[in-house]
Amino acid sequence: MINPPYYAADSRYDSGMKYERCGRSGLLLPRISLGLWHNFGDVNTLSGSRDMLHFAFDHGITCFDLANNYGPSYGSAEETFGRVMQSSFRPYRDEMVITTKAGYDMWPGPYGDRGSRKYLFASLHQSLRRMNLEYVDIFYSHRFDPDTPMEETLQALVDIVRQGKALYVGISKWPHEASQFAYDYLRRHDVPCLIYQGRYNMLDREVESSGILEQAAANGVGFTAFSPLEQGILTGRYLNGIPSGSRASIGKFLKAEMITPALVEKLKKLNAIALRRGQTLAEMSLAWLLKDSRVTSVIVGSSSVDQLADTIRSLDNLTFTPDELAEIDGIILTGNS
């Protein structure tokens, strides 16, 4: 069967998507970005991946978050995106913010991991080929490497921008002190860090307690949150235990032992607040992040168009009363109802 030509929806910027300025840059990012960590690899159907990508763009999601080893298998999410870029997205390339990363293991041997200049350049060249792109909009150092001089990693990012292979650079999961070094180094070399990508959700607030979130804002750096639903825990999926086929039942990234009776009880109380707000637990969890202007965007995964549509509805209500925020904190931080 030959797929019909793709024409982006004329209403894509009038469908309710909101955009936030990224730090002190001129770049606006959608409050919701689509992450291709899962469900876009070569174990998934191309048609399903294509449908989700088209739906996202048709509804104002302009940022697509990838990394070299997203799949499975490694590299296959970028290959999937590259096929869609060639078949349907090419006319809209200038309306998109496409990101990729390097820092984790990608190929065997000493040159396919961590933060060396050799690895970052080689990985980005491979990513560009897989995605059928001449450049990415944002290239991230995917993690801090204590065994590589920070100057080497950061100078590689500077040179990647100067060579036109990326428009902006960011860091992901760097610790507080190293992040400040990165912000200062990149600023001195006229390639300011655009954005910090960190794990953040109602249950995991380490970027708050460590000062990472406030540090990014103070340095004019945007912040994008990954795992905003804590691997699906902050959805309705685990309100009654562990269903068959869920991530916790498979146990690769989310372990079944994490879904404790105490956690399920908290989720039920949070769900009751969400219902009072006219939201699902997932929608409220995303809204809780997006209420903060320091959070430029949240990166969501999706396994279907319907799931992505539910996610976008979180933008309908981003306002919380002080009582709601206090109740949420009471449930999560102290265990009180």
Side-chain angles (χ1 to χ4, degrees):
M1 177 179 176
I2 298 176
N3 292 307
Y6 169 71
Y7 299 102
D10 291 338
S11 62
R12 58 189 179 275
Y13 298 117
D14 301 310
S15 58
M17 181 55 60
K18 297 176 174 64
Y19 300 85
E20 185 78 20
R21 188 166 304 281
C22 191
R24 286 198 288 262
S25 77
L27 185 67
L28 297 174
L29 291 182
R31 300 306 309 275
I32 293 174
S33 299
L34 181 61
L36 278 69
W37 181 26
H38 296 297
N39 304 315
F40 292 86
D42 54 18
V43 299
N44 306 101
T45 65
L46 177 62
S47 61
S49 298
R50 182 192 298 116
D51 288 347
M52 287 187 285
L53 289 165
H54 287 176
F55 183 89
F57 189 64
D58 284 344
H59 289 79
I61 294 179
T62 54
C63 183
F64 300 96
D65 183 81
L66 297 104
N68 55 0
N69 60 3
Y70 284 1
S73 58
Y74 283 3
S76 60
E78 290 183 330
E79 290 175 348
T80 295
F81 190 85
R83 293 177 70 177
V84 176
M85 175 57 64
Q86 286 294 84
S87 65
S88 54
F89 272 174
R90 180 67 63 192
Y92 307 101
R93 170 64 183 98
D94 292 339
E95 297 182 40
M96 297 178 178
V97 176
I98 302 167
T99 84
T100 196
K101 316 177 195 74
Y104 286 95
D105 62 297
M106 182 59 191
W107 61 83
Y111 312 121
D113 197 0
R114 306 185 76 83
S116 73
R117 179 182 180 88
K118 179 174 177 58
Y119 172 52
L120 295 182
F121 267 88
S123 177
L124 180 54
H125 290 158
Q126 292 181 18
S127 293
L128 293 174
R129 286 196 295 269
R130 283 190 291 266
M131 292 191 286
N132 290 305
L133 297 175
E134 296 179 353
Y135 68 94
V136 291
D137 297 275
I138 306 171
F139 181 67
Y140 287 94
S141 167
H142 204 171
R143 63 166 167 169
F144 174 67
D145 177 8
D147 298 321
T148 298
M150 285 188 284
E151 295 89 345
E152 178 177 342
T153 299
L154 296 169
Q155 188 60 45
L157 297 183
V158 169
D159 293 342
I160 281 168
V161 170
R162 289 178 176 166
Q163 292 180 19
K165 296 179 173 69
L167 301 184
Y168 303 92
V169 293
I171 58 176
S172 177
K173 294 181 281 187
W174 280 47
H176 189 278
E177 185 176 351
S179 294
Q180 190 60 56
F181 184 93
Y183 298 153
D184 293 341
Y185 185 98
L186 292 170
R187 188 182 302 113
R188 286 198 309 271
H189 289 76
D190 299 320
V191 181
C193 184
L194 175 78
I195 194 164
Y196 185 104
Q197 186 174 128
R199 184 186 186 93
Y200 188 29
N201 55 65
M202 284 199 298
L203 297 176
D204 187 342
R205 306 188 187 187
E206 193 275 334
V207 295
E208 288 182 3
S209 60
S210 67
I212 288 288
L213 184 61
E214 183 56 38
Q215 179 191 47
N219 282 273
V221 175
F223 181 92
T224 186
F226 71 87
S227 291
L229 300 178
E230 188 67 350
Q231 296 290 308
I233 290 177
L234 288 168
T235 67
R237 177 164 288 190
Y238 299 102
L239 291 173
N240 297 298
I242 302 174
S244 176
S246 65
R247 284 190 183 180
S249 69
I250 297 170
K252 184 175 182 182
F253 294 103
L254 178 62
K255 305 300 182 183
E257 54 265 28
M258 295 176 62
I259 313 299
T260 64
L263 175 60
V264 171
E265 187 62 26
K266 288 184 178 184
L267 295 178
K268 289 180 178 179
K269 292 176 180 178
L270 292 171
N271 189 59
I273 300 173
L275 292 176
R276 295 202 305 264
R277 289 170 50 83
Q279 293 179 312
T280 65
L281 177 55
E283 289 168 6
M284 184 182 77
S285 299
L286 295 173
W288 183 88
L289 288 168
L290 292 170
K291 74 185 187 310
D292 190 338
S293 62
R294 295 174 301 177
V295 177
T296 314
S297 184
V298 298
I299 300 169
V300 301
S302 183
S303 60
S304 69
V305 165
D306 288 342
Q307 188 180 75
L308 192 54
D310 289 342
T311 296
I312 293 173
R313 279 196 289 272
S314 64
L315 295 169
D316 293 343
N317 183 8
L318 302 182
T319 302
F320 289 78
T321 68
D323 287 345
E324 285 175 331
L325 293 175
E327 188 176 2
I328 289 170
D329 286 348
I331 292 168
I332 293 175
L333 301 181
T334 68
N336 298 327
S337 59

